[in-house]
Amino acid sequence: MDKKKINNSILLSLNLIDYKNPQKYIKTLYSISNNIHNHYRKHIIKKSNGKIRTIYEPSKILKHIQRSILHHVMEKESVSVYAKAYVKGLSLKDNAISHINKPVVLKLDIKNFFDNISFYDVYSKCFNEDKFPRSVGMLLAHLCTFDDFLPQGAPTSSYIANLVMKDFDMEIGILCQKQKISYTRYSDDLTFSGDLVPGDIINVVRKKLYKLGLEINNKKIHIIRDYQRQVVTGVIVNDKMQVSKNYRDKIRQEIYYINKYGLKSHLERINVHKESEYLNKLYGRILFVLQINNNDKEFLKYKELVSEFICAKI
């Protein structure tokens, strides 16, 4: 069997699209790969801090292909134990738990994380010749990248980012273990805690990231002592894990007004027109509190109340 037939056979075995005709299946994959710009919509989202985030939404067929690559190819590869984001069964709680009751918490951020993960990074870490023939690996890498970077919005991007960072995680993790320092990474957020010297950690991380073509965001270096409020991915970790009082009080206030005025009148007062969207967001915030403390009786009642409103809308 010649190389082309072998490559096509491998691609067909991955079952990336539900096409029964093998020729149409192969032709479609290469056509999308060669015209990748036609299969993304660009969305500019304004963040709460006034800055913008660019999301690239793949077309319906490309999204289907990417999800197939994620499930049939990517998830067979394990990520590091230090990666806490985009891993099944893990949550913000798993990222925070390692940093409870520590004298120093150091938080670092990788600058323009996804934008600086290149096509070569994706190919070499995820689809290289140890895993696939070169042409197959290159095709898969093209289907998961856009303009030589990892697009935020593609279903594959988060898991690929974890695989690209796997060796970095393990090197940093082993160094930290030797010094009895806790380390976790939640996407582009790196957290270290323990009896540590922040400058030493920053220097090591900076050098390791530089080898990957990445760099620390100097504006987001946070050193938090135990006499300050230590927050890790939204969770306070000074003595035990808890959501901030301000976060919980805002939910309490909204529930109070819903009970006092009724849902419809409350939404009119705050000038909100999309009832379902409001309820879903409020429900998500309540679940976040319960994710950190699942025995909180007060918020369990809030969950039941909001759940009843959501069910009534269905």
Side-chain angles (χ1 to χ4, degrees):
M1 191 181 293
D2 63 29
K3 282 186 179 180
K4 185 177 179 180
K5 287 184 179 179
I6 292 172
N7 292 343
N8 288 350
S9 177
I10 292 170
L11 287 170
L12 287 165
S13 72
L14 296 178
N15 193 28
L16 301 180
I17 14 176
D18 303 323
Y19 288 172
K20 293 182 180 179
N21 185 316
Q23 289 181 327
K24 184 181 179 183
Y25 176 101
I26 298 297
K27 186 178 179 180
T28 300
L29 291 180
Y30 279 100
S31 175
I32 292 173
S33 172
N34 292 330
N35 298 278
I36 204 75
H37 284 81
N38 297 332
H39 289 273
Y40 279 100
R41 288 179 61 193
K42 190 175 177 181
H43 301 281
I44 305 296
I45 298 174
K46 194 171 184 179
K47 298 195 286 186
S48 57
N49 61 8
K51 295 184 178 181
I52 62 169
R53 171 177 290 165
T54 304
I55 301 295
Y56 295 87
E57 180 189 5
S59 65
K60 187 175 180 181
I61 188 168
L62 178 56
K63 187 180 287 186
H64 179 89
I65 291 168
Q66 288 170 340
R67 282 179 175 154
S68 297
I69 292 172
L70 176 64
H71 298 314
H72 301 159
V73 181
M74 311 298 310
E75 289 179 348
K76 292 179 181 179
E77 299 284 331
S78 63
V79 302
S80 81
V81 295
Y82 303 100
K84 304 300 179 182
Y86 320 120
V87 180
K88 283 183 180 177
L90 297 186
S91 66
L92 292 169
K93 184 176 181 178
D94 296 283
N95 187 59
I97 198 168
S98 300
H99 307 290
I100 298 172
N101 198 23
K102 299 293 179 67
V104 183
V105 171
L106 169 65
K107 299 199 297 183
L108 305 176
D109 176 87
I110 302 174
K111 190 175 182 180
N112 299 325
F113 182 46
F114 285 90
D115 290 352
N116 286 312
I117 294 177
S118 69
F119 172 88
Y120 175 76
D121 295 327
V122 174
Y123 171 75
S124 62
K125 295 293 185 180
C126 305
F127 307 113
N128 60 59
E129 290 183 60
D130 290 337
K131 301 178 178 71
F132 298 100
R134 181 176 172 80
S135 61
V136 172
M138 294 286 278
L139 172 64
L140 294 173
H142 275 297
L143 290 168
C144 295
T145 53
F146 177 87
D147 268 356
D148 193 39
F149 66 86
L150 202 54
Q152 288 193 70
T156 41
S157 291
S158 301
Y159 207 87
I160 286 174
N162 276 340
L163 291 176
V164 168
M165 295 297 290
K166 184 174 180 178
D167 290 343
F168 169 89
D169 284 342
M170 296 308 296
E171 288 178 19
I172 293 294
I174 290 168
L175 286 172
C176 287
Q177 277 185 344
K178 289 177 180 177
Q179 299 178 51
K180 297 183 179 179
I181 295 168
S182 296
Y183 163 64
T184 60
R185 181 180 56 80
Y186 196 89
S187 186
D188 55 356
D189 293 323
L190 315 179
T191 305
F192 303 84
S193 64
D195 188 11
L196 56 85
V197 179
D200 292 348
I201 298 291
I202 292 168
N203 288 335
V204 171
V205 170
R206 202 184 294 281
K207 289 175 183 176
K208 298 284 185 186
L209 287 178
Y210 181 77
K211 292 178 181 178
L212 293 173
L214 300 171
E215 60 180 308
I216 292 172
N217 187 339
N218 291 325
K219 294 179 180 178
K220 292 186 178 181
I221 296 174
H222 299 289
I223 302 166
I224 317 169
R225 310 287 176 179
D226 54 5
Y227 54 81
Q228 300 169 300
R229 194 175 71 157
Q230 297 173 320
V231 181
V232 176
T233 47
V235 181
I236 297 172
V237 294
N238 287 74
D239 298 309
K240 61 180 182 180
M241 287 195 295
Q242 59 181 334
V243 180
S244 73
K245 185 177 184 300
N246 183 53
Y247 190 95
R248 287 178 283 135
D249 282 348
K250 284 182 179 179
I251 295 174
R252 288 188 182 104
Q253 186 179 54
E254 290 186 59
I255 296 295
Y256 171 78
Y257 286 131
I258 288 171
N259 285 327
K260 183 176 181 178
Y261 299 109
L263 177 62
K264 196 168 184 178
S265 295
H266 168 59
L267 294 181
E268 287 174 359
R269 287 177 68 254
I270 61 175
N271 198 29
V272 170
H273 305 291
K274 296 180 179 179
E275 187 175 307
S276 294
E277 185 177 317
Y278 170 83
L279 288 170
N280 287 331
K281 285 183 178 179
L282 179 57
Y283 190 72
R285 288 158 59 205
I286 293 168
L287 289 183
F288 176 61
V289 174
L290 290 171
Q291 183 181 330
I292 307 306
N293 182 3
N294 55 15
N295 294 317
D296 191 313
K297 292 180 181 178
E298 177 188 5
F299 280 83
L300 283 170
K301 289 180 181 177
Y302 296 163
K303 177 187 174 184
E304 186 177 347
L305 173 67
V306 176
S307 179
E308 287 174 3
F309 281 119
I310 291 172
C311 289
K313 295 292 296 179
I314 298 174

XYZ file of all heavy atoms in Angstrom, residues 100-151:
431
model
N -3.892 26.251 50.316
C -4.536 26.650 51.573
C -3.509 26.849 52.683
O -2.596 26.033 52.862
C -5.577 25.593 52.010
C -6.699 25.473 50.970
C -6.177 25.936 53.366
C -7.647 24.330 51.240
N -3.683 27.972 53.419
C -2.915 28.228 54.640
C -1.399 28.203 54.411
O -0.654 27.523 55.126
C -3.302 27.197 55.717
C -2.900 27.652 57.111
O -2.727 28.837 57.368
N -2.734 26.697 58.007
N -0.945 28.974 53.434
C 0.478 29.046 53.112
C 1.018 30.449 53.432
O 0.284 31.438 53.313
C 0.710 28.738 51.634
C 0.271 27.338 51.210
C 1.124 26.260 51.847
C 0.673 24.870 51.429
N 0.886 24.592 50.014
N 2.282 30.555 53.862
C 2.822 31.874 54.232
C 2.884 32.860 53.065
O 2.700 34.059 53.255
C 4.231 31.551 54.750
C 4.542 30.189 54.229
C 3.238 29.472 54.126
N 3.159 32.331 51.854
C 3.245 33.203 50.675
C 2.547 32.538 49.497
O 2.717 31.333 49.271
C 4.711 33.504 50.277
C 4.757 34.465 49.086
C 5.505 34.071 51.435
N 1.743 33.321 48.780
C 1.158 32.865 47.510
C 1.704 33.774 46.409
O 1.615 35.001 46.511
C -0.387 32.924 47.531
C -0.943 32.649 46.129
C -0.956 31.920 48.523
N 2.271 33.163 45.381
C 2.782 33.902 44.226
C 1.936 33.542 43.015
O 1.800 32.362 42.668
C 4.246 33.531 43.963
C 4.855 34.014 42.641
C 4.924 35.536 42.588
C 6.245 33.398 42.426
N 1.364 34.556 42.373
C 0.533 34.329 41.188
C 1.183 34.990 39.973
O 1.515 36.181 40.001
C -0.880 34.879 41.399
C -1.616 34.224 42.559
C -3.119 34.426 42.492
C -3.504 35.876 42.599
N -4.976 36.041 42.602
N 1.352 34.209 38.911
C 1.921 34.695 37.665
C 0.951 34.440 36.525
O 0.122 33.526 36.600
C 3.257 33.996 37.372
C 4.334 34.074 38.460
C 5.553 33.250 38.046
C 4.736 35.514 38.729
N 1.083 35.225 35.481
C 0.201 35.107 34.314
C 1.064 35.048 33.054
O 2.034 35.807 32.930
C -0.742 36.313 34.260
C -1.622 36.314 33.021
O -2.697 35.702 33.069
O -1.213 36.921 32.004
N 0.729 34.149 32.133
C 1.454 34.057 30.867
C 0.838 35.048 29.883
O -0.364 35.011 29.630
C 1.403 32.634 30.285
C 1.992 31.635 31.282
C 2.167 32.577 28.956
C 1.865 30.186 30.866
N 1.651 35.914 29.340
C 1.186 36.975 28.445
C 0.713 36.402 27.102
O 1.426 35.635 26.465
C 2.322 37.977 28.224
C 1.919 39.244 27.512
C 3.096 40.210 27.454
C 2.731 41.512 26.784
N 3.893 42.441 26.743
N -0.514 36.782 26.706
C -1.065 36.372 25.403
C -0.841 34.877 25.153
O -0.300 34.470 24.122
C -0.436 37.188 24.264
C -0.705 38.672 24.412
O -1.759 39.084 24.881
N 0.258 39.498 24.014
N -1.297 34.088 26.090
C -0.999 32.653 26.130
C -1.349 31.934 24.827
O -0.483 31.394 24.137
C -1.751 32.041 27.310
C -1.525 30.567 27.520
C -0.242 30.037 27.486
C -2.585 29.724 27.777
C -0.020 28.678 27.699
C -2.381 28.368 27.995
C -1.103 27.849 27.958
N -2.619 31.936 24.437
C -3.053 31.184 23.260
C -2.443 31.756 21.974
O -2.051 31.002 21.080
C -4.577 31.167 23.166
C -5.228 30.239 24.155
C -5.595 30.687 25.411
C -5.468 28.907 23.837
C -6.179 29.829 26.333
C -6.043 28.041 24.744
C -6.410 28.503 25.995
N -2.359 33.071 21.895
C -1.814 33.713 20.691
C -0.358 33.341 20.442
O 0.122 33.396 19.300
C -1.911 35.237 20.806
C -3.351 35.729 20.732
O -4.239 34.891 20.446
O -3.593 36.925 20.948
N 0.360 32.978 21.499
C 1.787 32.674 21.365
C 2.094 31.182 21.317
O 3.260 30.783 21.357
C 2.572 33.337 22.494
C 2.705 34.832 22.283
O 3.061 35.278 21.197
N 2.388 35.619 23.301
N 1.047 30.359 21.229
C 1.245 28.928 20.963
C 1.126 28.751 19.454
O 0.064 28.973 18.877
C 0.219 28.069 21.721
C 0.453 28.189 23.229
C 0.322 26.605 21.283
C -0.550 27.437 24.085
N 2.214 28.393 18.812
C 2.294 28.401 17.349
C 1.863 27.079 16.718
O 1.698 26.060 17.398
C 3.735 28.698 16.915
O 4.575 27.594 17.254
N 1.734 27.118 15.403
C 1.437 25.907 14.634
C 2.494 24.840 14.912
O 2.166 23.667 15.115
C 1.398 26.231 13.132
C 1.296 25.013 12.259
C 0.054 24.482 11.933
C 2.439 24.381 11.771
C -0.050 23.335 11.138
C 2.341 23.245 10.981
C 1.098 22.726 10.666
N 3.767 25.257 14.931
C 4.846 24.290 15.183
C 4.700 23.667 16.568
O 4.919 22.458 16.740
C 6.205 24.968 15.065
C 7.348 24.044 15.429
C 7.767 23.047 14.544
C 7.971 24.136 16.679
C 8.790 22.175 14.892
C 8.986 23.273 17.032
C 9.400 22.288 16.132
O 10.401 21.418 16.487
N 4.339 24.470 17.576
C 4.124 23.934 18.927
C 3.047 22.854 18.907
O 3.190 21.796 19.524
C 3.697 25.048 19.889
C 4.771 26.095 20.106
O 5.959 25.737 20.078
O 4.412 27.278 20.293
N 1.951 23.159 18.216
C 0.811 22.238 18.153
C 1.222 20.945 17.452
O 0.946 19.844 17.933
C -0.387 22.897 17.435
C -1.514 21.891 17.240
C -0.874 24.109 18.219
N 1.900 21.087 16.313
C 2.328 19.895 15.571
C 3.318 19.065 16.379
O 3.151 17.852 16.549
C 2.964 20.292 14.232
C 3.608 19.107 13.537
C 2.830 18.131 12.907
C 4.998 18.934 13.559
C 3.409 17.025 12.312
C 5.585 17.832 12.962
C 4.787 16.878 12.339
O 5.364 15.778 11.762
N 4.340 19.713 16.921
C 5.426 18.968 17.580
C 4.996 18.314 18.887
O 5.500 17.245 19.250
C 6.625 19.887 17.825
O 6.282 20.942 18.693
N 4.056 18.919 19.593
C 3.634 18.374 20.885
C 2.434 17.424 20.791
O 2.238 16.583 21.667
C 3.280 19.513 21.846
C 4.457 20.409 22.217
C 5.488 19.678 23.048
C 6.600 20.625 23.499
N 7.614 19.928 24.313
N 1.648 17.564 19.722
C 0.387 16.810 19.670
C 0.263 15.838 18.489
O -0.388 14.803 18.613
C -0.792 17.780 19.616
S -0.814 18.979 20.948
N 0.844 16.185 17.361
C 0.617 15.387 16.144
C 1.917 15.008 15.443
O 1.943 14.811 14.240
C -0.272 16.183 15.177
C -1.556 16.678 15.768
C -1.783 18.042 15.947
C -2.545 15.796 16.172
C -2.971 18.505 16.482
C -3.729 16.247 16.725
C -3.950 17.609 16.881
N 3.006 14.907 16.171
C 4.321 14.672 15.557
C 4.437 13.260 14.967
O 3.523 12.444 15.075
C 5.427 14.926 16.581
C 5.294 14.011 17.791
O 5.312 12.799 17.683
N 5.158 14.614 18.968
N 5.602 12.979 14.388
C 5.807 11.727 13.650
C 5.892 10.497 14.547
O 5.892 9.375 14.046
C 7.049 11.853 12.759
C 6.820 12.824 11.595
C 8.004 12.909 10.646
O 8.368 11.873 10.059
O 8.549 14.021 10.492
N 5.962 10.695 15.861
C 5.861 9.544 16.769
C 4.420 9.048 16.853
O 4.172 7.906 17.262
C 6.335 9.934 18.169
C 7.837 10.159 18.230
O 8.543 9.616 17.357
O 8.293 10.890 19.132
N 3.494 9.928 16.466
C 2.078 9.596 16.577
C 1.415 9.349 15.216
O 0.553 8.485 15.085
C 1.335 10.722 17.313
C 1.855 11.005 18.721
C 1.112 12.164 19.370
C 1.578 12.424 20.783
N 2.914 13.009 20.867
N 1.795 10.154 14.218
C 1.171 10.079 12.897
C 2.216 10.272 11.805
O 3.245 10.915 12.038
C 0.114 11.190 12.738
C -1.026 11.115 13.688
C -1.049 11.917 14.822
C -2.090 10.239 13.471
C -2.107 11.861 15.713
C -3.151 10.169 14.366
C -3.156 10.978 15.482
N 1.943 9.754 10.588
C 2.780 10.147 9.445
C 2.747 11.670 9.310
O 1.742 12.299 9.636
C 2.094 9.462 8.250
C 1.327 8.332 8.847
C 0.895 8.799 10.208
N 3.831 12.244 8.822
C 3.987 13.696 8.798
C 2.796 14.416 8.145
O 2.280 15.394 8.698
C 5.280 14.074 8.066
C 5.522 15.579 8.016
C 6.863 15.899 7.376
N 7.017 17.327 7.168
C 7.366 18.196 8.098
N 7.597 17.781 9.322
N 7.482 19.487 7.814
N 2.350 13.954 6.994
C 1.273 14.659 6.289
C -0.041 14.608 7.061
O -0.823 15.571 7.057
C 1.081 14.095 4.882
O 0.724 12.737 4.927
N -0.291 13.496 7.767
C -1.510 13.378 8.587
C -1.419 14.323 9.783
O -2.359 15.059 10.099
C -1.719 11.924 9.064
C -2.879 11.845 10.070
C -1.989 11.004 7.887
N -0.268 14.326 10.451
C -0.072 15.204 11.604
C -0.177 16.670 11.232
O -0.773 17.474 11.966
N 0.384 17.018 10.080
C 0.324 18.408 9.618
C -1.126 18.812 9.335
O -1.555 19.919 9.666
C 1.166 18.583 8.356
C 2.648 18.390 8.564
S 3.442 19.768 9.416
C 3.680 20.901 8.055
N -1.884 17.916 8.713
C -3.297 18.198 8.429
C -4.066 18.430 9.724
O -4.827 19.402 9.853
C -3.921 17.042 7.650
C -5.447 17.117 7.439
C -5.819 18.326 6.588
C -5.979 15.834 6.813
N -3.868 17.568 10.712
C -4.575 17.698 11.991
C -4.192 19.009 12.685
O -5.050 19.690 13.266
C -4.262 16.508 12.901
C -4.774 15.147 12.419
C -4.254 14.023 13.312
C -6.300 15.116 12.354
N -2.916 19.367 12.619
C -2.463 20.625 13.225
C -3.094 21.824 12.525
O -3.498 22.794 13.172
C -0.939 20.714 13.176
N -3.211 21.766 11.193
C -3.856 22.853 10.443
C -5.327 22.988 10.835
O -5.854 24.106 10.912
C -3.748 22.605 8.935
C -2.469 23.096 8.330
N -2.111 24.428 8.315
C -1.452 22.415 7.730
C -0.936 24.562 7.730
N -0.510 23.356 7.368
N -5.975 21.867 11.094
C -7.397 21.887 11.452
C -7.628 22.452 12.856
O -8.764 22.782 13.208
C -7.984 20.482 11.349
C -8.137 19.915 9.931
C -8.456 18.423 9.985
C -9.220 20.666 9.146
N -6.554 22.555 13.644
C -6.681 23.037 15.027
C -6.054 24.410 15.251
O -6.063 24.909 16.378
C -6.040 22.036 15.991
S -6.862 20.433 16.032
N -5.498 25.017 14.193
C -4.853 26.319 14.341
C -5.442 27.325 13.353
O -6.194 26.963 12.457
C -3.329 26.216 14.120
O -3.077 25.582 12.855
C -2.664 25.419 15.216
N -5.074 28.589 13.558
C -5.551 29.672 12.685
C -4.458 30.736 12.617
O -4.029 31.239 13.651
C -6.840 30.268 13.261
C -7.388 31.445 12.495
C -8.235 31.251 11.422
C -7.045 32.738 12.854
C -8.741 32.333 10.717
C -7.546 33.831 12.155
C -8.394 33.622 11.082
N -3.989 31.037 11.425
C -2.932 32.063 11.271
C -1.721 31.784 12.161
O -1.180 32.683 12.806
C -3.486 33.457 11.601
C -4.005 34.160 10.349
O -3.862 33.596 9.246
O -4.544 35.263 10.479
N -1.334 30.512 12.235
C -0.139 30.098 12.974
C -0.261 30.264 14.487
O 0.729 30.379 15.211
C 1.108 30.857 12.475
C 2.402 30.231 13.003
O 2.478 28.996 13.073
O 3.318 30.993 13.374
N -1.494 30.289 15.027
C -1.638 30.305 16.491
C -2.859 29.493 16.891
O -3.645 29.056 16.064
C -1.725 31.737 17.030
C -2.951 32.500 16.609
C -4.137 32.399 17.322
C -2.924 33.327 15.487
C -5.262 33.107 16.938
C -4.042 34.038 15.102
C -5.219 33.929 15.826
N -2.986 29.299 18.179
C -4.071 28.502 18.741
C -5.276 29.404 18.995
O -5.209 30.304 19.835
C -3.582 27.869 20.050
C -4.274 26.620 20.583
C -4.316 25.513 19.552
C -3.556 26.140 21.842
N -6.370 29.224 18.274
C -7.507 30.148 18.403
C -8.360 29.874 19.644
O -8.773 28.745 19.893
C -8.321 29.876 17.129
C -8.009 28.462 16.784
C -6.607 28.189 17.245
